[in-house]
Amino acid sequence: MMNKKAIITSALPYANGEIHLGHVASTYLPADVTTRFLKLNGVEAYYVCASDDFGTPILIQSEKEEKTPAEYVAHWNKRDYDDFSAFNIGFDYFYKTSSPENIAFVQDVFKKLNDADHIYEQEIIQFYCNNDKKFLPDRYVKGTCPYCQTEDQYSDLCESCGRVPEEITDPKCSLCGQPPTKEKTKHYFFKLKNFGDALSKWLDENIHLQKDVKKYVQNWIKSGLIDWDITRDISWGVPVPLDDAHNKVFYGWFDNHLAYISTAIKFLNDKGINGKEFWNSADIYHFIGKDIVYHHYLFLPAMRLGINNEYKLPDYIPTRGHLTLQGKKISKSRNWYIGLKEFLEYYPADYLRYYLVSINPYSQDDLNFDWDDFTTRINSELIGNLGNFVNRALGFTKKVFDGKIPETDSFDEKDSEAKQKITNLAADVGSLMEQNHLDRALKKIMEFSSFFNQYFQHKEPWKKGPGTANCVFLSVNAARSLAMAIFPFIPESAQKIWCQLGLSGNIHESSWKELSALGIPSGHILGDPSPLFTKVETSDIEKHKKQLGPSE
Ligand SMILES: [Zn+2]
Ligand SMILES: [Zn+2]
């Protein structure tokens, strides 16, 4: 049985630059498709998100642009939200980690962890740049990962092996390139070591977490967890709420995932719903990319365990791989990326949504954006299959029956098979969606469309022989089912089909199980059919390829 309440989050966008295709592929799009699906199923589902506003990269960049960090992040918060909206990412609420609610919440969680003896203070030796006259946490230092020996990694995360190094090898100041010196400072630590057994138990018991991810997180736990330095000597962050914590702030990964909770609670409370009660009775989904597994499978649950599950742990952490572009790693500095905003100036949101879901399995395997593959999939699948079927069925009905659905005769074998396809669609697609296999669910829908293309072809209604009325009746009903099933994936096009079918209201108000009904009766009058899509031109695609950075 599906839980009737859900809160969906996706990795928070770092308020430090524009959203590109790599961001939306692994997290925001799968989360949005899932939320739309849950809502159609009558689940009271809320998709909440926030910009991640704190940390050293933002401080460094705002200094360069001579803005205050608050001005700097306010700009990106708005821009990111606008870009997401243009892509039909339907957040119920989009807030920020620098909100007063999140700051108060983070400080409260810290106090509770401190009272429960999960925090200690320790003098540490920190990198310090004598040239820049400052402590150098995280991204201020680059070096070699001690675990996998990959060079040129930031000190707070190895992008190659995904681990957080205790100390990076061969460090260099990322501002000036000088080797830093070491100075003493006092930091606060979270006793992650305390939680090895509890985390292991939680991983074992949670049946919804991906098996392959669990396995290597279990290995991390077995090889020994290290306590976690949660404070920084910088000016931009959530202040540590202790009198003797002079000018220290929390590390971004201490506060940002707490904004999942504080943002949801703020949104729900504002709606007149008890936010905490809702959180604790809902299914909790955190959609992430595989680069932040460490943070979401260890830090995040350990902190919730440390405050006695006052806010329940996640049920689902759908974790997907990275997007490459034309087979190469996305890189902003080499201009090897495509901004979301830019893409949407060329093609409708639904083209990108369709393509990115279709190439994105429920796994940590990387996926590749390829302009030629994009063209093929849009032209032959989305347009050649789905667009063609809908336009053909509706166009024929308009032309021959003046848009009025005819009375049916008794069904022949082919009609009965077609009717059965409609009857099965909700369950066939729904079970894949519930298991997070969005790509397979989409494929199933396209197979349904393909079946009806063949059915229509086979019945030859243009000959107006016996059985024409049945073909029209079933095809138009199949178009309705198709619109409803595909709505979570390509909502704008689904709504267009809905209107062309002459159905009233907004398609998002319909319900998933109704999609397997023959919901359009004889006598119903269609709206005006018109082509749903325009073809992707290969000449344009060649231009887009050239707009990418120089290949190496
Ligand atoms: Zn590494
Ligand atoms: Zn320096």
Side-chain angles (χ1 to χ4, degrees):
M1 259 313 268
M2 209 181 258
N3 188 334
K4 284 294 161 197
K5 292 177 190 172
I7 292 173
I8 297 93
T9 73
S10 43
L12 305 183
Y14 199 53
N16 189 31
E18 73 168 328
I19 302 298
H20 59 66
L21 266 46
H23 295 122
V24 293
S26 59
T27 50
Y28 306 101
L29 180 57
D32 181 71
V33 171
T34 301
T35 306
R36 288 173 188 271
F37 169 74
L38 293 172
K39 287 180 176 180
L40 282 184
N41 275 280
V43 176
E44 189 179 357
Y46 299 110
Y47 182 7
V48 298
C49 196
S51 57
D52 186 0
D53 288 353
F54 292 126
T56 52
I58 280 170
L59 192 56
I60 294 173
Q61 196 55 34
S62 65
E63 282 166 5
K64 276 189 194 157
E65 295 187 16
E66 297 180 342
K67 288 178 181 163
T68 68
E71 286 164 356
Y72 181 78
V73 298
H75 166 81
W76 286 113
N77 174 285
K78 183 180 182 305
R79 169 67 195 275
D80 289 354
Y81 180 74
D82 290 346
D83 289 2
F84 284 130
S85 299
F87 191 46
N88 289 315
I89 299 295
F91 297 126
D92 289 284
Y93 191 49
F94 187 77
Y95 206 27
K96 53 186 180 179
T97 61
S98 59
S99 70
E101 291 85 359
N102 191 51
I103 291 169
F105 184 67
V106 169
Q107 292 179 332
D108 183 56
V109 168
F110 173 79
K111 281 181 199 151
K112 283 172 178 159
L113 290 172
N114 196 26
D115 291 345
D117 202 24
H118 295 307
I119 303 287
Y120 60 92
E121 205 182 347
Q122 189 178 301
E123 192 164 76
I124 62 156
I125 306 294
Q126 174 87 65
F127 290 125
Y128 185 86
C129 181
N130 279 308
N131 191 24
D132 290 303
K133 303 273 176 264
K134 61 170 92 187
F135 280 107
L136 300 175
D138 313 322
R139 298 216 159 184
Y140 279 112
V141 177
K142 286 182 131 183
T144 302
C145 171
Y147 297 110
C148 72
Q149 269 64 50
T150 305
E151 291 175 9
D152 204 30
Q153 296 301 312
Y154 288 114
S155 68
D156 59 340
L157 175 68
C158 172
E159 286 183 341
S160 179
C161 70
R163 297 187 69 173
V164 177
E166 194 161 14
E167 189 179 316
I168 197 121
T169 315
D170 192 21
K172 298 265 182 343
C173 168
S174 73
L175 298 175
C176 68
Q178 306 275 332
T181 59
K182 289 180 170 182
E183 302 292 333
K184 282 181 190 164
T185 177
K186 257 190 205 168
H187 276 199
Y188 293 89
F189 283 75
F190 174 62
K191 293 182 189 172
L192 189 61
K193 272 181 201 153
N194 282 0
F195 295 92
D197 291 343
L199 287 168
S200 194
K201 183 165 177 280
W202 169 69
L203 288 164
D204 279 341
E205 287 171 356
N206 188 324
I207 52 162
H208 298 305
L209 298 175
Q210 272 151 279
K211 286 199 188 72
D212 57 328
V213 186
K214 270 203 223 189
K215 207 167 158 190
Y216 73 77
V217 175
Q218 288 283 25
N219 283 332
W220 284 340
I221 296 171
K222 272 185 214 132
S223 70
L225 297 174
I226 48 170
D227 289 342
W228 180 33
D229 181 351
I230 55 165
T231 48
R232 293 294 183 267
D233 299 287
I234 58 171
S235 55
W236 179 238
V238 179
V240 176
L242 294 175
D243 291 338
D244 51 355
H246 314 287
N247 300 322
K248 284 189 200 306
V249 302
F250 288 111
Y251 174 46
W253 275 106
F254 185 83
D255 73 76
N256 61 9
H257 61 86
L258 290 175
Y260 297 156
I261 304 175
S262 63
T263 302
I265 303 279
K266 148 94 176 146
F267 166 71
L268 291 163
N269 287 349
D270 284 355
K271 275 175 80 76
I273 299 170
N274 182 323
K276 192 169 179 178
E277 253 177 52
F278 190 96
W279 180 280
N280 285 322
S281 56
D283 272 357
I284 306 294
Y285 293 74
H286 299 316
F287 283 79
I288 62 165
K290 68 177 178 185
D291 54 323
I292 49 176
V293 163
Y294 203 97
H295 311 80
H296 281 77
Y297 284 74
L298 294 173
F299 297 164
L300 176 154
M303 283 171 62
R304 288 190 207 166
L305 288 164
I307 56 168
N308 296 319
N309 297 345
E310 191 178 333
Y311 299 89
K312 71 176 275 203
L313 273 66
D315 300 282
Y316 298 86
I317 313 179
T319 306
R320 286 182 167 84
H322 294 156
L323 185 77
T324 54
L325 183 54
Q326 301 286 96
K328 290 201 293 185
K329 197 177 167 192
I330 288 176
S331 161
K332 277 192 148 178
S333 58
R334 287 187 289 117
N335 197 32
W336 196 260
Y337 78 104
I338 306 171
L340 181 60
K341 186 174 192 238
E342 183 193 353
F343 192 97
L344 297 176
E345 283 163 12
Y346 305 133
Y347 299 105
D350 281 354
Y351 286 21
L352 185 60
R353 292 175 65 104
Y354 178 85
Y355 179 66
L356 289 180
V357 173
S358 70
I359 60 168
N360 195 351
Y362 181 45
S363 83
Q364 296 189 91
D365 296 343
D366 288 342
L367 51 146
N368 180 41
F369 182 97
D370 181 273
W371 276 116
D372 294 328
D373 186 39
F374 169 78
T375 311
T376 307
R377 287 196 193 242
I378 297 307
N379 287 350
S380 68
E381 296 177 17
L382 189 62
I383 303 179
N385 179 359
L386 188 145
N388 179 54
F389 167 66
V390 172
N391 198 244
R392 210 175 172 196
L394 273 53
F396 181 82
T397 311
K398 186 78 182 176
K399 200 173 91 192
V400 176
F401 291 91
D402 205 19
K404 188 174 174 189
I405 311 304
E407 297 290 334
T408 54
D409 309 316
S410 60
F411 287 173
D412 68 11
E413 203 181 315
K414 205 74 193 163
D415 298 332
S416 300
E417 191 191 349
K419 182 175 176 244
Q420 195 60 44
K421 291 276 178 196
I422 295 175
T423 309
N424 294 346
L425 188 66
D428 284 353
V429 177
S431 65
L432 291 168
M433 299 289 281
E434 283 177 44
Q435 296 165 55
N436 272 298
H437 290 299
L438 308 182
D439 58 328
R440 292 193 212 164
L442 183 58
K443 197 163 174 233
K444 190 64 95 180
I445 298 167
M446 297 309 284
E447 284 167 7
F448 176 88
S449 173
S450 177
F451 171 87
F452 272 92
N453 260 317
Q454 286 162 21
Y455 167 76
F456 197 87
Q457 188 67 24
H458 174 85
K459 293 293 257 185
E460 301 179 315
W462 51 90
K463 290 185 176 168
K464 296 178 198 165
T468 298
N470 290 353
C471 172
V472 166
F473 174 82
L474 286 165
S475 296
V476 168
N477 270 288
R480 171 184 170 276
S481 301
L482 203 47
M484 293 167 81
I486 206 131
F487 167 75
F489 301 91
I490 50 170
E492 275 178 20
S493 306
Q495 180 64 40
K496 272 189 204 160
I497 301 173
W498 197 250
C499 293
Q500 293 187 14
L501 284 165
L503 295 167
S504 60
N506 193 307
I507 191 168
H508 73 70
E509 291 153 1
S510 60
S511 92
W512 186 262
K513 65 175 191 291
E514 289 297 311
L515 77 83
S516 270
L518 296 172
I520 298 186
S522 300
H524 173 84
I525 313 273
L526 294 184
D528 291 316
S530 64
L532 294 162
F533 307 108
T534 18
K535 205 173 149 232
V536 174
E537 298 296 340
T538 41
S539 55
D540 291 335
I541 292 299
E542 294 309 316
K543 268 186 250 160
H544 300 322
K545 283 185 195 167
K546 291 200 184 97
Q547 283 162 340
L548 288 168
S551 58
E552 286 170 0

